[in-house]
Amino acid sequence: MRSDDEDDDKGKKKKGNAEKQSAAALCVGVGSFSDPSDLPGLAHFLEHMVFMGSEKYPSENGFDAFLKKHGGSDNASTDCERTIFQFDVQRKSFKEALDRWAQFFICPLMIRDAIDREVEAVDSEYQLAKPSDSHRKEMLFGSLAKPGHPMGKFCWGNAQTLKHEPKKKKINVYKRLRAFWKKHYSAHYMTLAVQSKEKLDTLEKWVREIFSKVPNNALSKPDFSDMLDPFDTPAFNKLYRVVPVRKVHALNITWALPPQEKYYRVKPLHYISWLIGHEGTGSILSVLRKKCWALALFGGNSETGFDQNTTYSIFSISITLTDEGFHNFYEVKKISLFFSLLSFLICLFVHAFRIYEEIQKIEANEFHYQEQIDPIEYAEDICENMQLFPKEDFLTGDQLMFEFDPEVINGALSLLTPEKANLMLLSPEHEGQCPLREKWFGTQYSVEGQEWMERWTGNLELNSELTLPAENKFIATDFTLKPSDCPDTEFPVRIAESDRGCLWYKKDNKFKIPKAYIRFHLISPVIQKSAKNVVLFDLLVNILCHNLAEPAYEAEVAQLEYKLVAGEHGLVINVKGFNHKLPLLFHLIIDHLADFSASPDVFSMFAEQLKKTYFNILIKPEKLGKDVRLLILEHSRWSMVEKYQALTAGLTSNELMDFSRNLKAELYAEGLVQGNFNSAESEQFLQYVTEKLQFSKLPAEVPVIFRVVELPLKHHICKVKSLNKGDANSEVTVYYQSGLKLLREHTLMELLVMHMEEPCFDFLRTKETLGYHVYPTCRNTSGVLGFSVTVETQATKFNTELVELKIEEFLASFEETLNSLTKEAFNTQVTALVKLKECEDTHLGEEVDRNWAEVLTQQFVFDRLNREIEALKQMTRAELVSWFKEHRGQNSRKLSVHGGGKKQEGEGGKAEDVSGSTYGEVSKLTFLSASPKMAGAVAIMDIPAFIEGLPLFPYHKILE
């Protein structure tokens, strides 16, 4: 839970009494596998370029501008063998949006001038991906494929492959781009899904009318199905030691199997992943957790193009190891558990039908009673399914297990042997021992031959602790919709209240599904007393989740979900799923909280893991920038660095147990129950919490928000050095504080940001090419309003001060745009925001999220959207322009936060090392002074000294 940014999208949340968005998605049956060898990343680059205007609608950002005016959004992604484009928009503008969008596949402009600029966007996307360990593992894994196989291609593309190298080789990128589009963007291997409330006949008419002009070249679709066994090479079946960016110990065991897509009705890998990824009693993870060697285990196939395509399918087991688990890696009888389990699965395969049938039942229940997802996501799923499955299975092919086939399942299981596995062991302790470097992401690694296999394959003993999952008591069997026992209400009502807690309740009579949501906030005064207490609270929640993992796993399998969050001021408990067995799960969580315990071994394991977690947050520029901004703005907030220092100073399990007792001694429990429970059943949840935990009432009310510092009427700049010494990524956020405002001003600011989104993207990304992520944001920081503009860039290209000057240049140009804004354009944007707020909820969870936000912040304005809509209808263009000028003038309260990355040597495409920061290097912030270019800006070199003596806003809730 965060007190800042919770309301960034609040104005776009839905009211629930108007139509949902219309959406469309188109899948092209070509991806990065089709990249030419001399232009790596061309398919990804084309995905960017087709959006930049068409012959019919030539404006470079015209489609985005149209969508923003009509409450829409769009996106695209390139996979190995498919590229997907999608958008959503308000229904009344759907036909025009379809026509504008279709032109990208009919006659895109792809003008020469745009190529160099958009290459920079692709390069920024690549630079942002470089510090990601998952992307780095993928690129290293792909490099193990046979020479000439497309898995070895550099699918991202960057300035080196799309600009500098082609220039040296005299390759005309413009011509090659158009040729690639002409060859591969052909109607006969495109699939399209549209969703709207029009009649099907109307939608079909529109699609025929608009998309019939998409060219069809009748050429054969790219086919890679003859390039089987890409990893039947000497480079596979080895142990790769890898240096990760984050502080993490992880073991990845991977098998490359024959393509499994044709077995979608059996889903053998999905089934095997259930057995291997099982976390209950008798599972491999249970055994490893008892030894304090592992924290998490995932098995399976992600079904992305990287994991599953026409040339192979991956099955992988990923284990997050503790320090002790890493150091025990080579102990034969211990680590051979993984392969012992596989032998065990094959031995007990005779029992498989019972488990398969149970999984079938669970997934069939979930499919039958599933809540709708956003139309844009649904359209994306369907258009891709249309590439993979026959017509009758478009809607179900990726979700259901249709038939049990022992031969198919056994065929896959029999290939999961040590001899066929490839291992990657990630650890920061490998630093200095890995002389090899992956070409594109610069990942450091070393290779070991067959020695590991000899230690793991000899006389595997069956571990007596391993068992197959028992019958699941959490599977729902009663799907009856319960009658209401109190009058229907549009919004939640308080049905129980005492000095120890209260409960809000709303019966679902709209979606009518046998599911429910239970949410509680257990507010405590002890958490924010010190940085040490905040750390102990984080540890308590992490260990509580660990204690629950095994007993609650069967509930998760049965599609019941729970989440425990260490909030700023209390423990947040979220539980949802089929209501029949939901009380069992809720009681289990409260029971474990009441009887909380942590052995010294478990405490040590999680203290070390939390140290890694804090470290991994601090090395991300965007996380560091946010932490610094909130440290300045929110009084008495404990920063991540202070928490890190408190943790490294040393804590004990006895201190944790003392904290646990103090936490549970005095609480206030505030809850919300929505869905298929009546009010009498709902009250029992609050009763169970108060009776089981036996806490006393709070001696005084505990605020659930921070007090906020009132910034001086000046420009202050805080430049902090990146804590990842090898990362070139930087972030600049320019924040303008408004102050204590009413709901009307909050809505006005949302309207301003909505006006700003497309011009911001056009100016800072498209024209200035400052970075891949650029965006304005509406900020509600503990009830104090403001707005900001953020740019994520690279120190190799721009210093942060130049980026800030460009942001100010944009804001100046935006002021001119606002001055010339016509009444018609203003009204169009107001209408778009009103329609977004009126847009109906897709599923019950959206309504619950909105109501829970009111309970969590203790504002209880459940009809907030109604009030915001009324406020919008009364706003004027003059009011908007005046508000912006007022907050940008001489008397503005401006705070700039710069998180500066390392300026690395070398051209854009050269892979530099982005790993290697030590624990000590992130234990203290390094502040930098501002240069003369930032005229008039006051540099913040010491945050406590800066905020000392500054006035504080009173506690504030944006109510009316």
Side-chain angles (χ1 to χ4, degrees):
M1 186 179 72
R2 292 286 180 268
S3 60
D4 182 70
D5 302 342
E6 283 180 349
D7 290 338
D8 287 353
D9 296 315
K10 193 175 190 67
K12 298 178 184 178
K13 287 183 180 176
K14 302 166 185 178
K15 177 181 174 183
N17 63 356
E19 293 168 338
K20 62 170 69 74
Q21 298 282 84
S22 297
L26 184 144
C27 183
V28 186
V30 68
S32 56
F33 271 11
S34 298
D35 281 347
S37 58
D38 58 348
L39 280 174
L42 191 66
H44 181 209
F45 186 35
L46 178 59
E47 171 227 300
H48 279 242
M49 285 299 300
V50 294
F51 270 108
M52 304 189 75
S54 62
E55 289 179 16
K56 186 174 181 180
Y57 303 102
S59 173
E60 214 170 75
N61 273 347
F63 184 60
D64 277 337
F66 178 83
L67 291 180
K68 295 299 180 191
K69 284 179 183 174
H70 300 285
S73 64
D74 64 339
N75 208 344
S77 59
T78 304
D79 212 328
C80 295
E81 296 178 288
R82 291 179 287 280
T83 304
I84 299 178
F85 301 84
Q86 67 268 15
F87 79 90
D88 64 358
V89 76
Q90 291 162 6
R91 178 184 168 189
K92 67 182 176 105
S93 305
F94 187 47
K95 185 179 180 184
E96 183 178 349
L98 266 181
D99 185 51
R100 287 173 174 269
W101 187 63
Q103 303 309 312
F104 299 141
F105 313 107
I106 296 170
C107 50
L109 278 184
M110 295 194 289
I111 56 175
R112 290 177 189 270
D113 289 350
I115 284 182
D116 276 356
R117 285 185 278 113
E118 199 57 26
V119 162
E120 294 304 323
V122 171
D123 189 70
S124 288
E125 191 176 355
Y126 155 71
Q127 295 288 350
L128 288 168
K130 277 177 71 176
S132 163
D133 285 320
S134 61
H135 294 319
R136 293 159 75 81
K137 281 188 296 182
E138 282 188 358
M139 289 305 301
L140 177 56
F141 189 84
S143 71
L144 309 183
K146 292 175 183 175
H149 192 279
M151 269 307 299
K153 292 184 176 181
F154 175 50
C155 57
W156 289 86
N158 61 16
Q160 188 72 12
T161 66
L162 297 169
K163 184 177 180 180
H164 304 309
E165 287 297 327
K167 194 173 182 180
K168 286 180 188 174
K169 297 175 182 176
K170 295 186 166 60
I171 296 172
N172 188 324
V173 176
Y174 172 74
K175 284 186 177 179
R176 295 286 295 277
L177 196 68
R178 295 201 71 87
F180 192 91
W181 177 85
K182 190 173 182 180
K183 179 178 180 180
H184 293 300
Y185 276 46
S186 179
H188 67 301
Y189 48 89
M190 291 178 177
T191 49
L192 173 69
V194 297
Q195 179 174 332
S196 187
K197 282 208 166 179
E198 275 73 27
K199 293 179 179 177
L200 286 176
D201 288 347
T202 302
L203 289 175
E204 183 179 349
K205 180 185 174 187
W206 290 356
V207 167
R208 289 184 181 279
E209 177 186 318
I210 293 169
F211 288 89
S212 61
K213 298 171 188 171
V214 175
N216 184 336
N217 59 27
L219 296 175
S220 298
K221 180 179 175 180
D223 184 5
F224 302 93
S225 60
D226 60 339
M227 304 181 74
L228 301 174
D229 300 318
F231 296 102
D232 184 13
T233 68
F236 209 70
N237 309 125
K238 287 185 167 51
L239 169 62
Y240 288 80
R241 294 181 178 272
V242 178
V243 180
V245 175
R246 298 177 304 135
K247 296 295 184 197
V248 64
H249 301 304
L251 174 64
N252 292 286
I253 308 172
T254 306
W255 292 266
L257 312 179
Q260 300 288 306
E261 282 182 342
K262 62 184 176 182
Y263 302 125
Y264 76 91
R265 295 185 67 81
V266 181
K267 294 185 173 56
L269 301 188
H270 181 55
Y271 171 62
I272 297 168
S273 74
W274 271 67
L275 297 175
I276 290 177
H278 172 57
E279 297 181 20
T281 303
S283 67
I284 186 169
L285 184 58
S286 172
V287 174
L288 291 171
R289 277 177 171 158
K290 285 174 185 174
K291 297 175 184 294
C292 291
W293 289 348
L295 296 162
L297 183 151
F298 303 98
N301 179 296
S302 70
E303 298 182 7
T304 62
F306 179 87
D307 270 18
Q308 184 153 286
N309 53 61
T310 56
T311 73
Y312 72 93
S313 290
I314 276 177
F315 188 86
S316 61
I317 300 173
S318 178
I319 304 125
T320 304
L321 300 170
T322 63
D323 286 359
E324 190 175 348
F326 171 72
H327 294 132
N328 278 290
F329 171 70
Y330 268 132
E331 291 200 20
V332 182
K333 290 183 180 177
K334 298 171 182 178
I335 296 302
S336 64
L337 274 169
F338 311 131
F339 298 108
S340 178
L341 174 67
L342 295 173
S343 301
F344 171 71
L345 290 175
I346 294 169
C347 291
L348 295 184
F349 197 66
V350 66
H351 300 294
F353 180 64
R354 189 265 297 173
I355 299 171
Y356 192 95
E357 195 175 39
E358 188 173 273
I359 299 169
Q360 267 188 319
K361 183 179 179 181
I362 290 168
E363 297 199 340
N365 285 344
E366 182 60 24
F367 180 79
H368 185 73
Y369 294 106
Q370 67 181 305
E371 298 184 73
Q372 288 189 45
I373 61 174
D374 281 338
I376 190 170
E377 293 179 44
Y378 192 60
E380 181 185 356
D381 289 344
I382 297 305
C383 79
E384 187 169 20
N385 287 355
M386 292 166 73
Q387 298 266 344
L388 300 172
F389 311 123
K391 187 187 298 184
E392 61 272 19
D393 293 331
F394 284 170
L395 304 183
T396 57
D398 61 336
Q399 296 196 52
L400 297 181
M401 297 169 73
F402 297 90
E403 57 197 42
F404 178 68
D405 189 328
E407 189 175 336
V408 170
I409 296 169
N410 209 21
L413 259 178
S414 64
L415 297 173
L416 305 184
T417 63
E419 294 81 8
K420 295 179 183 294
N422 189 77
L423 273 64
M424 281 191 189
L425 182 63
L426 284 73
S427 173
E429 294 190 23
H430 291 154
E431 183 77 46
Q433 304 169 32
C434 298
L436 303 176
R437 183 166 290 188
E438 189 274 323
K439 178 179 180 181
W440 298 108
F441 279 53
T443 306
Q444 297 176 59
Y445 69 98
S446 64
V447 190
E448 291 182 21
Q450 304 297 311
E451 297 88 353
W452 69 269
M453 193 186 300
E454 292 167 9
R455 305 183 74 172
W456 280 17
T457 55
N459 297 318
L460 287 178
E461 296 177 17
L462 199 60
N463 190 293
S464 61
E465 296 177 78
L466 295 173
T467 60
L468 283 172
E471 200 161 338
N472 193 331
K473 66 179 181 181
F474 288 97
I475 298 175
T477 55
D478 182 357
F479 303 104
T480 307
L481 294 180
K482 301 188 176 186
S484 181
D485 60 352
C486 62
D488 287 348
T489 57
E490 185 179 358
F491 302 111
V493 293
R494 190 186 276 125
I495 60 169
E497 185 174 18
S498 73
D499 56 8
R500 294 197 295 160
C502 73
L503 184 72
W504 296 83
Y505 166 76
K506 183 176 184 295
K507 176 77 169 71
D508 169 46
N509 288 309
K510 177 181 178 183
F511 295 94
K512 298 181 178 178
I513 53 172
K515 293 184 178 182
Y517 291 72
I518 307 166
R519 298 191 174 178
F520 271 86
H521 188 197
L522 305 184
I523 303 166
S524 168
V526 305
I527 298 168
Q528 289 294 334
K529 283 187 176 179
S530 66
K532 178 180 175 180
N533 277 13
V534 176
V535 174
L536 287 168
F537 186 46
D538 283 345
L539 281 168
L540 184 147
V541 174
N542 288 349
I543 294 173
L544 179 58
C545 291
H546 169 77
N547 293 345
L548 278 164
E550 193 170 308
Y553 180 70
E554 296 296 350
E556 290 189 271
V557 167
Q559 305 296 326
L560 305 183
E561 298 177 34
Y562 72 97
K563 184 178 183 182
L564 307 181
V565 180
E568 305 286 7
H569 306 280
L571 174 63
V572 180
I573 301 172
N574 295 337
V575 183
K576 69 173 183 177
F578 291 111
N579 59 277
H580 181 208
K581 299 296 180 73
L582 206 56
L584 283 179
L585 176 59
F586 183 76
H587 292 169
L588 186 69
I589 293 168
I590 301 302
D591 291 350
H592 275 71
L593 176 59
D595 301 328
F596 177 80
S597 65
S599 68
D601 284 349
V602 169
F603 175 84
S604 298
M605 176 173 74
F606 277 93
E608 186 59 37
Q609 190 61 27
L610 188 61
K611 185 179 173 184
K612 293 185 177 76
T613 300
Y614 288 165
F615 177 95
N616 293 334
I617 291 171
L618 284 167
I619 62 172
K620 295 180 179 179
E622 70 277 12
K623 300 287 189 183
L624 178 62
K626 179 175 180 177
D627 196 51
V628 168
R629 175 167 53 83
L630 294 184
L631 182 59
I632 294 170
L633 293 174
E634 293 187 328
H635 188 254
S636 299
R637 162 183 278 276
W638 301 102
S639 73
M640 189 62 68
V641 168
E642 288 169 314
K643 289 160 64 176
Y644 185 83
Q645 290 168 345
L647 179 59
T648 53
L651 298 170
T652 67
S653 58
N654 287 336
E655 287 177 299
L656 176 62
M657 293 310 299
D658 287 342
F659 174 81
S660 171
R661 284 187 285 272
N662 292 334
L663 177 83
K664 292 181 288 185
E666 296 174 344
L667 293 170
Y668 186 80
E670 197 151 35
L672 169 71
V673 177
Q674 271 194 247
N676 193 35
F677 284 121
N678 60 40
S679 64
E681 292 170 319
S682 299
E683 285 187 55
Q684 291 173 14
F685 294 117
L686 177 60
Q687 185 179 342
Y688 195 85
V689 170
T690 54
E691 290 180 357
K692 188 72 181 179
L693 296 180
Q694 290 292 306
F695 52 85
S696 301
K697 68 176 185 178
L698 296 178
E701 183 180 357
V702 176
V704 293
I705 56 177
F706 293 100
R707 290 189 69 183
V708 177
V709 169
E710 184 177 358
L711 293 173
L713 294 171
K714 267 191 171 192
H715 174 200
H716 285 84
I717 181 170
C718 186
K719 295 179 65 176
V720 62
K721 192 175 178 181
S722 172
L723 296 176
N724 185 349
K725 68 181 183 182
D727 189 359
N729 290 304
S730 304
E731 184 186 80
V732 177
T733 294
V734 178
Y735 167 77
Y736 287 89
Q737 188 180 66
S738 176
L740 298 179
K741 298 292 179 180
L742 300 178
L743 180 145
R744 178 180 177 83
E745 280 78 11
H746 186 263
T747 308
L748 181 68
M749 193 168 62
E750 290 178 324
L751 184 64
L752 173 74
V753 168
M754 197 172 183
H755 270 283
M756 201 185 285
E757 284 174 331
E758 192 281 325
C760 177
F761 184 92
D762 184 50
F763 188 102
L764 297 174
R765 175 175 151 169
T766 304
K767 292 187 171 63
E768 296 292 340
T769 66
L770 294 178
Y772 183 69
H773 291 305
V774 303
Y775 53 91
T777 309
C778 175
R779 303 273 182 197
N780 172 6
T781 307
S782 289
V784 174
L785 298 184
F787 73 89
S788 66
V789 176
T790 297
V791 173
E792 293 179 21
T793 188
Q794 286 79 43
T796 47
K797 300 176 183 178
F798 306 99
N799 70 53
T800 58
E801 292 187 353
L802 174 65
V803 171
E804 170 153 352
L805 293 173
K806 288 296 181 182
I807 290 174
E808 285 303 322
E809 202 177 309
F810 157 67
L811 290 171
S813 72
F814 180 69
E815 184 172 331
E816 294 176 13
T817 302
L818 273 187
N819 284 331
S820 59
L821 185 70
T822 66
K823 186 176 180 181
E824 181 185 14
F826 172 81
N827 289 338
T828 298
Q829 202 76 69
V830 168
T831 301
L833 187 51
V834 167
K835 291 292 184 186
L836 272 179
K837 290 176 182 291
E838 289 178 337
C839 195
E840 70 179 356
D841 294 313
T842 305
H843 55 85
L844 177 59
E846 287 186 341
E847 183 184 319
V848 174
D849 286 343
R850 191 168 56 249
N851 290 332
W852 179 239
E854 298 295 334
V855 175
L856 199 59
T857 56
Q858 295 184 344
Q859 298 185 58
F860 312 121
V861 186
F862 297 110
D863 65 340
R864 186 180 300 276
L865 285 173
N866 290 339
R867 299 188 192 195
E868 290 176 340
I869 289 166
E870 288 307 308
L872 276 168
K873 290 177 178 176
Q874 296 169 25
M875 282 177 191
T876 64
R877 173 196 164 280
E879 196 177 354
L880 181 71
V881 175
S882 172
W883 195 93
F884 181 71
K885 287 182 176 179
E886 176 189 337
H887 291 83
R888 280 261 306 140
Q890 292 294 319
N891 293 327
S892 63
R893 305 179 191 277
K894 177 182 174 185
L895 172 66
S896 307
V897 178
H898 297 201
K902 177 190 174 187
K903 186 170 184 179
Q904 300 163 327
E905 301 301 322
E907 284 189 304
K910 185 179 176 182
E912 300 286 343
D913 178 34
V914 296
S915 60
S917 290
T918 66
Y919 281 125
E921 288 170 325
V922 301
S923 61
K924 185 179 179 182
L925 295 177
T926 302
F927 296 96
L928 307 173
S929 58
S931 75
K933 284 192 296 185
M934 307 305 294
V938 179
I940 299 173
M941 304 296 289
D942 183 331
I943 292 177
F946 168 68
I947 61 178
E948 186 177 0
L950 289 179
L952 301 177
F953 291 107
Y955 289 117
H956 181 63
K957 299 172 183 177
I958 303 173
L959 299 178
E960 315 182 351

